[in-house]
Amino acid sequence: MPSPASWVVDVQWDDPSSSVPACSPDDAVFVRAAGHYGRHLPSAVQNVLVDFADESPEAGALLLRGVPIGRDIPATPSLDNRTPTGKDRCSEFMLLAVCRRLGQPIGYLPESGGALVGNVCPIRSTEERQVATSSKVDLVLHTEGSYIRYRPRYVALLCLRGNPEAATTLATVTDILEYLDTHHPGVARMLWEPRFRLLVDETYVENVEDSLSSPIPVLTGDPAKPTIVFDADLMRCTDPESEKALACLSEAAAAVRQHIVLEPGDLLIVDNQRATHGRSYFEARYDGTDRWLQRAFVVADISVSDGNRKGRVIESPFLD
Ligand SMILES: O=C(O)CCC(=O)C(=O)O
Ligand SMILES: [Fe+2]
């Protein structure tokens, strides 16, 4: 991964409060206002977002610091992540304003009912599961929505309340391939072949084992700058050789992963084609002081999901 200086942007931001509409972040009026607000983002941020979308840099992610998140963050929700939190909507507004500079924010019906801005906070009933609201387990490396046909191009995570124990993990395709070249030469070739299948996440279906996709490749696109789809939990193989390749890939991803501890006002944008991400184990308290991120998904071209989407919410999303 390149040195932090090339992918961390730490600048002064203006307070957007007077521009935030008094309606839900899912309302078209709110999303449009956030788009219009893009011209008030710091110029260094506007420039870096253009460059990030153009170049899809090797870092696979961008970290914007000091993003305004509003005054008086209320208690972190702990029963579920859908209930209105009673906060002002500054963080939602800034998250969508930044996302709109990269593409179109969308929701997926099974994820927080399709909310454009989801709350990622620990929920007791899911603490040991492979879902974003877990805490007692490492959330293993994954491509966001690996099993979704219209998977997001970017995943944006804005931290409202941090926890020094909880690190977001990131493994880029560049680092993974470099590791494979050194430690398992020849294996990467197999990752270009359609020999890997995906299960649908338990958030989306009741019977996960019935949901296997047709075989797909892990790597696609330009050999000099490949796109990766990988899920350490949900990926299956079609034969013993690809089984070995997947084991080497999992080893590589775990070996090269970076740990990023998000602090309030940090906005991490993962290029979901160039990097896989996850989260380390941490201790949840369920007392209102827990870690709290807000998350948005962004696609580069919303029209490809026409017919499978109502407004900005994708409804029937799986790979064949
Ligand atoms: O909690 C984190 O840092 C990442 C969780 C995650 O994978 C997600 O929200 O998509
Ligand atoms: Fe994720």
Side-chain angles (χ1 to χ4, degrees), residues 251-286:
E251 175 195 315
V256 303
R257 86 194 138 159
Q258 314 268 324
H259 291 76
I260 303 154
V261 175
L262 295 174
E263 293 174 11
D266 282 355
L267 170 50
L268 180 71
I269 304 167
V270 179
D271 182 338
N272 202 34
Q273 294 189 346
R274 305 275 297 149
T276 59
H277 68 281
R279 191 217 61 240
S280 66
Y281 154 99
F282 67 103
E283 199 71 51
R285 296 178 289 260
Y286 307 115

Side-chain angles (χ1 to χ4, degrees), residues 231-247:
D231 193 309
D233 179 42
L234 300 173
M235 198 160 240
R236 300 289 182 271
C237 293
T238 51
D239 57 273
E241 218 189 4
S242 56
E243 202 79 63
K244 182 180 164 236
L246 184 58

Side-chain angles (χ1 to χ4, degrees), residues 120 132 139 142 144 155 157 167-168 262 277-279 291 293 295 297:
V120 175
L139 180 58
H142 58 279
E144 194 66 30
V155 182
L157 299 168
T168 303
L262 295 174
H277 68 281
R279 191 217 61 240
R291 180 174 186 260
L293 309 184
R295 178 177 65 181
F297 303 121

